[in-house]
Every structure is written in C-alpha cells, then in structure tokens.
Amino acid sequence: MTDTAPRQKRPPTIHDVAAHAGVSRGTVSRVLQGGHNVSPASHQAVDAAIRKLGYVVNRAARSLVTRRAGSVAFLLSETHERLFQDPNLATLLRGCTTALAAHDIPLVLIAAGTEAERRRIAPYLAAHQVDGVLLFTSHRGTPMIELLQQAELPFVCCGKPHDQAGAVSYVVADDREGARTMMRHLIDSGRRRIATIAGPADGPGGLERLHGYREMLAEHGIRYNKSLVATGDYSRASGESCMRELLARVPDLDAVFVASDLMAEGALSAIERAGLSVPGDIAVGSFDDSPVATATNPPLTTMRQPWQRISDMMVRQLLAQIEGDGPASVILPTELVVRESA
C-alpha cells in the first residue's frame, strides 16, 4: 500500500540561505548579527534569500553561540494603570518596539510598580534573561536602577535620573527649556497672573518644568507666588482637582501652564465648570503634544516632545551598550505647537 500523505516541508536553514545567496554561511551569520564587515551587495543578496525562502532565525541556537538572550525588556517602574492611562507611555512603547524590530529584536514588557513585582523580576534580570532594559519611571530614586547596576545589565532611562551612584544612560526632552518657551508664549500674549500645575515633586520632568516656569517669571519681572502653584500626578483627575484648587485661591488668574496634556484636559474641565472660557478668561498651555492635545475643546497649545526620536535614541544607546559601549546621555529639544487654548 502506497503512502500518499504529503510530506511536511522542511524549514529553510542558514545553509539554504547561504546557497541561495551565493555566499558563505559566515556571511549570512554576520548579516543576521548586524551586517558588520559585509559588502552591500552580499547584504542585499542575503536579505533577498531570507525573504524568498521564508527563513526564520532559530533564536535558541543563536543564544547558545552568542550567549545572548536575543531580546530586550521595556521595564515600567510604575503601576499597571499608568500603562493604560498615559498616552505618552503607549507612544514610547510603540516607538521602541518599532526601533527594535528594525534589528529583529523582540521587546518584552515588564511591570514593576510594586515591591512584590520587583522581587519577582529581580532573579529574571539577574540571570540576564534579556540583553538589556529600557527603563521608564516618573519618580526619582527608583530601586530598579540599583538592581540593574548590581545585575550588570545594560539599561537606558527615559528621563534624567537623580541621586544615582555612577554614570547612567538616559534620553530626555529638554523639560526646562520647553517650560521656558511655553511661559514666554503666555507672557508675550499679555498674561501676567500665570499659575502652574506641576508634575510630581519626585519626578525629574516635573521639577525641571517648574524651574523653567519660575525662571521666566523672574526674567520678566513677575513675582513668584506659591499660591499660584499646585502639584498633580500627571493624571486627568489631578489636573481637574488642581485647577479647582487654583481657582479657589486665585480667582483672577489669567493663564495656567500645565505640566502634561492629560492634566491639562482635567484643567479645562474645571475651568468650564467654573463658568469661565478658554482662552478668553484663562489661557491654557501644556506639555507633551500627545493625542489628548487635539481631542480637547479647545485644542491645546502645548510643547511637543519628540517621542519618536526619544524611542530611537534609547534603542540606539542600549544596543551600543550591549556591544560594549559605556553610558551616554542625550537631551532633545521640544517644539511649541500653538493651538486655540493659548
């Protein structure tokens, strides 16, 4: 009796790719590891062979040879709620995933917002189950930096960490200069009673934006008034409650600089509930240029953070560290985006 069952097609190997491209197995291997010391013509031939044959890298086999995990972690040192509520975080995560995909490196998402979560992931990181970490936290003094340093695991922070021992890689937007630019815009439009809803006091971005606010008041001869300052936590609810607090203390304020679009959305709601108009009675300037900025009524005048560049630079720095480079820091400029709120 003849067996008529179809034979399962064997998946292509690195040897098949080399034969199809007309190059050595070593050349294919170098292409898969980044293309160092490979001519453009050979690189193009290998890429074409991979696409035609449908070759998929055997990551387990590669890890045995390179002693690398072949993946990178996006470590969120925040509560789970922040992941779903903060539009900036989603944008950053998407940007990092895209930047790593260009290098055929998968991204593993790890949440470590509680002490219990940090205890659970510590052995995973110490065992180098990933090759490096992209770290996001809005609070300074996070224990994750010390943990990563002890594990001797390459990492890059989104934001400038403070009070840390040793050099630490980070990529950040120029928060202080961005705040100065927004304040200059509000002052130049004739506003003088300018309040601010600052970010958390233990977060580097919040402190830098508050410093920028105070500096521009001083440069324009406007006295700093603590009653014009409220502190939120970057959530919409905190922006609304801070705005209510400011209106109760200083009902004649004529502008407010808010440290994030999400808080500014809440501030707009509080201003509307108070029967006031934006920008007629109160001009509102914000920070981030997240999707929230164009969804509010009126749309927000805000400082645009270059999220794609931040993502790209974080990934570039991390891959360089994995290859043996030392820590580095990058500060990127922001851009004023003028809309109807100020």
Side-chain angles (χ1 to χ4, degrees):
M1 185 175 179
T2 303
D3 184 5
T4 58
R7 293 183 179 180
Q8 188 172 4
K9 186 177 179 181
R10 176 180 64 82
T13 68
I14 192 171
H15 299 283
D16 297 325
V17 173
H20 192 88
V23 299
S24 69
R25 182 188 180 283
T27 297
V28 177
S29 180
R30 287 194 296 276
V31 169
L32 295 175
Q33 295 179 37
H36 302 294
N37 300 318
V38 178
S39 70
S42 295
H43 202 308
Q44 186 176 11
V46 171
D47 286 341
I50 288 173
R51 289 193 299 270
K52 183 173 181 60
L53 298 176
Y55 173 73
V56 177
V57 176
N58 185 330
R59 295 191 179 279
R62 181 194 282 185
S63 296
L64 290 174
V65 174
T66 64
R67 296 186 179 181
R68 291 182 181 174
S71 60
V72 163
F74 187 97
L75 181 55
L76 176 64
S77 186
E78 299 284 342
T79 61
H80 293 189
E81 290 77 14
R82 182 78 186 272
L83 177 62
F84 300 102
Q85 294 174 357
D86 189 337
N88 296 324
L89 187 52
T91 300
L92 182 67
L93 178 59
R94 183 169 58 249
C96 290
T97 301
T98 301
L100 285 165
H103 300 273
D104 193 29
I105 299 174
L107 186 66
V108 179
L109 176 61
I110 301 176
T114 67
E115 180 59 34
E117 288 172 340
R118 288 190 284 270
R119 283 198 305 270
R120 282 196 296 271
I121 68 164
Y124 177 84
L125 297 175
H128 286 217
Q129 296 296 324
V130 291
D131 295 320
V133 170
L134 301 166
L135 177 62
F136 182 92
T137 179
S138 61
H139 301 282
R140 63 179 173 174
T142 173
M144 293 312 307
I145 290 181
E146 184 177 358
L147 187 153
L148 292 168
Q149 289 173 329
Q150 290 175 348
E152 297 183 346
L153 193 61
F155 69 98
V156 178
C157 299
C158 180
K160 182 179 179 180
H162 288 261
D163 305 326
Q164 300 296 332
V168 173
S169 274
Y170 64 87
V171 180
V172 65
D174 195 338
D175 294 296
R176 185 178 299 213
E177 190 56 38
R180 288 170 56 86
T181 299
M182 179 57 72
M183 286 296 293
R184 187 181 298 112
H185 174 74
L186 294 173
I187 293 169
D188 288 348
S189 67
R191 312 289 172 158
R192 287 297 181 271
R193 299 279 285 172
I194 305 174
T196 187
I197 300 176
D202 65 344
L207 286 175
E208 289 296 304
R209 294 169 202 177
L210 182 59
H211 287 321
Y213 164 82
R214 295 190 63 169
E215 287 173 1
M216 289 309 290
L217 290 178
E219 289 183 20
H220 286 79
I222 303 173
R223 185 175 63 87
Y224 172 70
N225 184 346
K226 287 196 298 185
S227 65
L228 285 166
V229 179
T231 302
D233 62 5
Y234 291 129
S235 70
R236 185 190 186 282
S238 73
E240 185 170 2
S241 63
C242 284
M243 194 68 234
R244 287 199 305 266
E245 176 187 330
L246 289 169
L247 289 171
R249 288 203 304 250
V250 191
D252 62 338
L253 65 87
D254 61 9
V256 59
F257 166 47
V258 190
S260 79
D261 291 340
L262 202 55
M263 290 198 297
E265 183 184 31
L268 288 175
S269 179
I271 292 169
E272 182 181 8
R273 289 176 181 274
L276 300 170
S277 66
V278 176
D281 296 311
I282 300 175
V284 177
S286 183
F287 211 102
D288 290 336
D289 197 30
S290 68
V292 171
T294 55
T296 58
N297 185 24
L300 290 168
T301 290
T302 186
M303 296 305 303
R304 175 176 294 159
Q305 295 207 59
W307 289 112
Q308 187 57 57
R309 289 186 65 194
I310 291 173
S311 301
D312 291 344
M313 289 304 303
M314 287 182 69
V315 167
R316 184 183 302 178
Q317 280 198 36
L318 184 61
L319 296 182
Q321 280 192 65
I322 291 171
E323 293 299 326
D325 288 359
S329 59
V330 177
I331 301 176
L332 298 171
T334 57
E335 176 188 355
L336 175 65
V337 181
V338 178
R339 298 192 180 97
E340 286 87 338
S341 72

